[in-house]
Amino acid sequence: MSRLVVVSNRLADPRKAAAGGLAVALAETLNETGGLWFGWSGEIAEDGAPGEGELHRHQAGRVTLASVDLSREDYASYYEGYSNGVLWPVLHYRVDLADFDSGYIGGYRRVNQLFARKLLPLLKPDDTVWVHDYHLIPLAAELRALGCRQKIGFFLHIPLPPPQILAAIPQHAWLVRSLFSYDLVGFQSETDLSHFAGYVEKEAGAQPLDAHRFQGFGSTVHARAFPIGIDVDEFAALTHAREAVDMYERMAEEYKRRRLLIGVDRLDYSKGIPHRVRAFRELLANYPENRDSATLIQIASPSRESVDAYGDIRRELESLCGAINGDYGGLDWMPVRYIHRTIARKKLPGIFRVARVGLVTPLRDGMNLVAKEFVVAQDPGDPGVLVLSRFAGAAEQLKEALLVNPYDTHGTAETIQRALQMPREERQQRHQKLLARIREQDVHWWRRSFLQALAEAPGS
Ligand code: ADQ
């Protein structure tokens, strides 16, 4: 097997399980192949020049971690500006929130060029390079311009919107053309893939050779959906470990007369948290039997707080939760507990397991791993019910969840009521099917399928 080189905006030490997500997913192959992980160090060099950055190298077991610092200006334009102020909102269908400041694109290109320049000398001829996410769309094109011939794959962790929305980005044609420098492009869902196919046919005049191969801009790119999964065994083991069991027992005791609904997200406008809280208010209004009983715990971890839209959503949520508690709360019951904090990963399964309903209702989400973690943490004999947005990538796989349109407050409240009343047998049947699918397409399956498809894709 050729050496795996992973490139992502941020890197993590694959030996630390707490890092979660990508680190856990890629650790096995990185370790097996003595791989390299390359990305931004997380450091901002205050007096650094734009487009420059010092390279650091560390050994983490068999894996080499190589990272570069960013200048203040590059951080502002590449990271906060173009990646999180343009690409993140538009790719989540929120053109209204995008800040198309013309200065950002320069920084985005500059940092991708910096990454290409620093990475190229570290590559060996037989390496397989796997680039992750929207921060680095043009990286392969920049590497190819410097003469890189290795196989390069790209995986987009967030959605790809329909062509008309993508076309709102002034540089949309350049971005999509950049994708043709990869040998393989992976999306989270068939929906995202169909948007890519639609765009390249209609906007770029590229020819579909078949459902997964497109010819244009002098090259052929393979594109497929590879829905990302979780490490089921790891999360199941966490569920039965001390911290989660303690958490479960404490919460089960505290809420023994009540029924818990749980939401766990990064505080992001794509996650639909205010819509969810409004649906919960409607539940209390329309189904009074839930008063003094149903309790929503919403945990939202702080995220990108320097971006304006994130401050707005925080304020909206705080006032919404305050109003519901004021209207419906009593001396010994508060309907909503809103917690603006990251919860230790080891405790999460305990909180999931005690909940009767898991609310995963993003307005738009590439996949959403919380939905899968919620299912894995349940007691198969008496499982909670997953209420899932039809606009999460996960909805393509998790058909036995109760699917909702999060914009439909009334319909969502009705579905939550159905979840709260669902008989045990139906809950068990649904849970069994969901768990089987999550297990079948876990994160190791995801990594293997992507790397195998990349190995099979003819090189450029
Ligand atoms: P994210 O938007 O960050 O990632 P998501 O898949 O929802 O998110 O969650 C990632 C992880 O963060 C999960 O393991 C979850 O448990 C954890 N997490 C979230 N909120 C937390 C909190 N308050 N406290 C503790 N842990 C928390 C992007 C895309 C997703 C895609 C992933 C992976 O936006 O659609 O699923 O990448 O590709």
Side-chain angles (χ1 to χ4, degrees):
M1 201 195 298
S2 72
R3 183 176 77 144
L4 177 63
V5 176
V6 173
V7 191
S8 61
N9 176 57
R10 290 301 301 273
L11 31 81
D13 187 335
R15 291 170 305 183
K16 295 181 186 151
L22 206 53
V24 173
L26 301 171
E28 202 173 297
T29 312
L30 280 169
N31 275 317
E32 267 171 29
T33 64
L36 170 73
W37 194 338
F38 182 92
W40 171 38
S41 62
E43 297 296 324
I44 299 172
E46 291 299 345
D47 47 6
E52 299 298 331
E54 198 186 333
L55 180 74
H56 309 277
R57 289 175 71 151
H58 300 283
Q59 215 42 48
R62 294 200 60 211
V63 181
T64 306
L65 301 176
S67 61
V68 282
D69 303 339
L70 291 183
S71 70
R72 168 67 56 192
E73 196 178 323
D74 283 348
Y75 172 78
S77 52
Y78 149 81
Y79 183 71
E80 288 187 327
Y82 203 75
S83 297
N84 290 328
V86 177
L87 294 177
W88 178 272
V90 177
L91 270 59
H92 285 89
Y93 300 48
R94 293 299 302 271
V95 176
D96 58 315
L97 293 178
D99 174 4
F100 294 113
D101 185 312
S102 58
Y104 297 154
I105 184 64
Y108 185 72
R109 277 209 68 172
R110 210 162 47 230
V111 170
N112 274 273
Q113 284 164 345
L114 167 69
F115 272 33
R117 264 198 338 270
K118 297 281 181 183
L119 175 60
L120 191 74
L122 307 179
L123 295 181
K124 297 178 185 169
D126 288 335
D127 282 350
T128 295
V129 184
W130 189 357
V131 179
H132 290 265
D133 234 357
Y134 58 101
H135 315 85
L136 300 172
I137 293 171
L139 186 64
E142 300 296 354
L143 282 166
R144 300 272 184 241
L146 299 176
C148 173
R149 302 294 306 271
Q150 285 84 346
K151 280 271 179 77
I152 316 180
F154 177 77
F155 186 77
L156 184 67
H157 288 257
I158 67 175
L160 192 78
Q164 289 288 310
I165 293 180
L166 192 59
I169 301 175
Q171 301 80 18
H172 63 98
W174 170 75
L175 285 166
V176 177
R177 190 169 66 236
S178 303
L179 289 175
F180 279 74
S181 293
Y182 290 96
D183 299 293
L184 174 69
V185 173
F187 296 105
Q188 295 274 28
S189 68
E190 294 295 335
T191 305
D192 300 331
L193 177 64
S194 74
H195 294 156
F196 177 72
Y199 181 97
V200 297
E201 281 178 57
K202 287 188 209 107
E203 297 270 345
Q207 295 302 314
L209 299 175
D210 58 41
H212 297 118
R213 284 189 309 148
F214 303 88
Q215 196 167 46
F217 312 106
S219 65
T220 303
V221 68
H222 289 237
R224 295 187 92 93
F226 300 92
I228 196 169
I230 62 169
D231 186 334
V232 174
D233 292 331
E234 181 239 13
F235 208 75
L238 275 188
T239 305
H240 299 291
R242 185 77 274 146
E243 282 90 342
V245 172
D246 282 351
M247 190 65 171
Y248 171 83
E249 285 172 354
R250 226 164 357 112
M251 303 259 300
E253 174 60 27
E254 191 179 335
Y255 289 96
K256 60 177 183 271
R257 290 195 308 110
R258 312 223 138 93
R259 292 193 300 171
L260 270 187
L261 300 92
I262 182 86
V264 174
D265 311 77
R266 261 188 321 103
L267 184 57
D268 191 289
Y269 47 80
S270 66
K271 302 291 181 185
I273 309 172
H275 295 70
R276 179 185 310 165
V277 174
R278 280 195 287 272
F280 180 69
R281 178 173 60 193
E282 186 117 343
L283 175 87
L284 298 179
N286 296 354
Y287 304 96
E289 67 269 31
N290 291 308
R291 296 182 201 163
D292 204 24
S293 168
T295 306
L296 170 63
I297 298 187
Q298 174 62 54
I299 301 166
S301 55
S303 170
R304 302 177 199 156
E305 291 186 313
S306 57
V307 179
D308 284 351
Y310 290 78
D312 293 348
I313 190 149
R314 181 176 177 181
R315 278 185 293 279
E316 180 185 3
L317 211 50
E318 283 168 356
S319 87
L320 198 55
C321 295
I324 297 175
N325 284 339
D327 289 346
Y328 292 97
L331 284 176
D332 69 343
W333 173 66
M334 281 297 155
V336 188
R337 283 180 63 189
Y338 168 63
I339 301 159
H340 182 63
R341 205 174 314 135
T342 303
I343 294 289
R345 188 165 173 77
K346 289 180 174 171
K347 294 183 177 164
L348 266 186
I351 304 175
F352 287 149
R353 195 175 174 93
V354 84
R356 273 300 297 271
V357 181
L359 294 174
V360 182
T361 55
L363 304 179
R364 198 59 63 176
D365 219 327
M367 176 54 58
N368 196 303
L369 297 179
V370 173
K372 297 183 176 183
E373 292 169 349
F374 177 81
V375 172
V376 171
Q378 297 307 304
D379 171 2
D382 188 13
V385 179
L386 175 63
V387 172
L388 177 64
S389 165
R390 53 175 296 173
F391 303 128
E396 280 187 8
Q397 293 172 296
L398 306 184
K399 300 277 187 226
E400 291 80 13
L402 295 186
L403 295 188
V404 293
N405 167 6
Y407 293 98
D408 175 5
T409 310
H410 184 77
T412 304
E414 240 173 38
T415 306
I416 298 173
Q417 173 70 353
R418 190 176 154 211
L420 284 167
Q421 300 200 316
M422 191 180 284
R424 184 194 286 238
E425 200 179 324
E426 183 180 349
R427 285 188 279 124
Q428 285 174 334
Q429 283 167 1
R430 286 176 182 269
H431 176 258
Q432 206 178 17
K433 289 187 180 142
L434 288 170
L435 186 60
R437 191 137 340 98
I438 291 169
R439 194 170 267 294
E440 195 184 313
Q441 300 188 331
D442 71 355
V443 77
H444 303 295
W445 168 88
W446 171 77
R447 182 194 65 232
R448 280 193 305 267
S449 336
F450 185 94
L451 289 175
Q452 192 181 335
L454 181 55
E456 286 166 7
S460 36

